[in-house]
Amino acid sequence: MRQKTLRYAILTVLAGLSIAANPAQAQTWPDKPITFVVPFAAGGGTDAFARPLAAQLDSQLGKRVLIENRAGAGGTVGASAASKAAPDGYTFFMGAAHHAIAPSLYPNLDYDIEKDFVAVALIARPPQVIVVNPDKVAAKTLAEFIAFNKANPGQLNYGSAGAGTTHHLAGELFKILTKTNLQHVPYRGAGPAMQDLIAGHVPVVFDGMGSSAAPIRAGQLRALAVAAPKRVAAFPDLPTAKEAGLPDYEVATWYGLFAPKNTPPAIVERMIKELQQAMQVAAIKEAWERNGSDVPDVTGPAFATMVSAEVVRWRKVVKEANVKLD
């Protein structure tokens, strides 16, 4: 009995020391480079937000914030790797809406987005946009595009950032609502999909505004409609899907920062404060607006609640659309 009492006393003291050490740990953090695991190939929507943010945090923290692209399986390869990283505050994961979809499509995931990560902060939430290669698709409006697909079922392919991503489900939802048939071609991220779209190897992508904004401005792509309830400030002439005749077509993606579970709470809180400061920098605000996103302020438990709600929401969509992995 005395041994149990002594053991409990020692554990209590150690727990107290651990809690007391957390603030000091956060004050000295970081003392080496930090890695953001981005689970898609370079050049995609996740990169469009992760890289400017990492550069800003470089400046604030005085330590490098490195981007590690780990693509594959709709973003689940990178998520798996990040979930197993040491919870020491030096590895973070740039997750996305795709990771709220994955549990409904990948039955054998070796990680749980809700249980194996600490939700740190929502970073951006740009809407989806329907973009086509102007040399491969003659349609200049959404109505013309729908009419072509109805008259030519199965003739067009659409690219996505990978099976099970919002790009994929946006395409499947479009097919359901318009009663059309397009063939899905998954890529290892939005970046490769965009490259093939611009090159004309795939004619259409249901993309996030983050990776489509620049080629739309450059005239390399034609945007037909934005899948949002209102027009995007960066593209005021681009109609919403509702305005273009498809009222129920609304799809947005989001990007958020996560830490491996058991990352010290004080370090998570410090990162939240650094992110809040970074997101108020004029250059970041301007970049977000260019990419069609607002600057959200959803952190910690509020972000975790949002992620859980998204898992439930997308599970319903996957079931109703009968989406299967290619």
Side-chain angles (χ1 to χ4, degrees):
M1 184 69 180
R2 288 183 62 187
Q3 286 182 333
K4 289 184 178 180
T5 302
L6 180 60
R7 181 173 178 271
Y8 177 79
I10 292 172
L11 290 174
T12 302
V13 170
L14 290 174
L17 288 174
S18 175
I19 293 171
N22 267 337
Q25 189 175 15
Q27 288 175 5
T28 60
W29 174 92
D31 58 13
K32 62 181 181 180
I34 297 167
T35 297
F36 281 4
V37 176
V38 171
F40 296 101
T46 319
D47 257 20
F49 296 100
R51 290 185 183 275
L53 185 61
Q56 177 58 36
L57 290 173
D58 270 357
S59 175
Q60 288 178 203
L61 295 170
K63 294 292 180 183
R64 292 298 310 280
V65 179
L66 307 172
I67 300 294
E68 180 183 344
N69 294 97
R70 296 283 295 269
T76 61
V77 170
S80 174
S83 72
K84 298 169 181 58
D88 56 6
Y90 291 95
T91 299
F92 289 85
F93 173 60
M94 187 64 78
H98 320 300
H99 298 95
I101 299 169
S104 300
L105 290 175
Y106 293 88
N108 298 315
L109 289 178
D110 64 352
Y111 71 91
D112 187 311
I113 192 64
E114 296 177 86
K115 296 178 181 178
D116 293 327
F117 290 98
V118 177
V120 180
L122 178 65
I123 300 302
R125 45 189 169 196
Q128 299 286 112
V129 60
I130 303 172
V131 282
V132 299
N133 181 300
D135 296 327
K136 298 297 180 179
V137 177
K140 291 181 170 57
T141 67
L142 183 60
E144 291 175 359
F145 181 67
I146 293 172
F148 176 86
N149 282 287
K150 284 186 175 181
N152 301 276
Q155 183 170 323
L156 293 182
N157 297 330
Y158 77 92
S160 81
T165 61
T166 51
H167 306 71
H168 178 194
L169 290 192
E172 295 303 305
L173 180 60
F174 176 85
K175 288 163 57 177
I176 290 170
L177 294 176
T178 59
K179 296 181 172 59
T180 55
N181 182 22
L182 292 83
Q183 302 303 312
H184 177 221
V185 180
Y187 287 82
R188 291 172 64 85
M194 281 292 99
Q195 290 172 9
D196 264 17
L197 178 61
I198 292 169
H201 300 311
V202 66
V204 58
V205 172
F206 299 86
D207 191 38
M209 187 63 82
S211 48
S212 282
I216 292 171
R217 286 195 190 89
Q220 296 171 301
L221 301 179
R222 179 186 298 131
L224 300 180
V226 62
K230 62 181 182 179
R231 295 194 180 197
V232 175
F235 296 93
D237 296 330
L238 180 62
T240 66
K242 181 177 181 179
E243 291 172 330
L246 198 58
D248 296 324
Y249 190 69
E250 288 187 13
V251 185
T253 191
W254 51 261
Y255 303 101
L257 197 68
F258 297 81
K261 70 176 181 180
N262 298 323
T263 298
I267 289 179
V268 172
E269 287 300 318
R270 172 80 187 281
M271 177 58 89
I272 288 173
K273 290 178 181 178
E274 295 293 340
L275 289 169
Q276 289 173 325
Q277 179 182 335
M279 301 285 276
Q280 293 307 309
V281 172
I284 293 292
K285 287 185 172 182
E286 291 167 5
W288 267 225
E289 182 176 341
R290 284 196 306 273
N291 289 325
S293 176
D294 64 344
V295 178
D297 186 15
V298 182
T299 63
F303 180 40
T305 298
M306 190 202 98
V307 172
S308 296
E310 283 283 278
V311 170
V312 172
R313 175 199 174 206
W314 285 112
R315 185 180 297 126
K316 292 179 180 177
V317 173
V318 168
K319 183 177 180 180
E320 290 175 9
N322 194 31
V323 177
K324 305 293 183 183
L325 294 180
D326 294 330

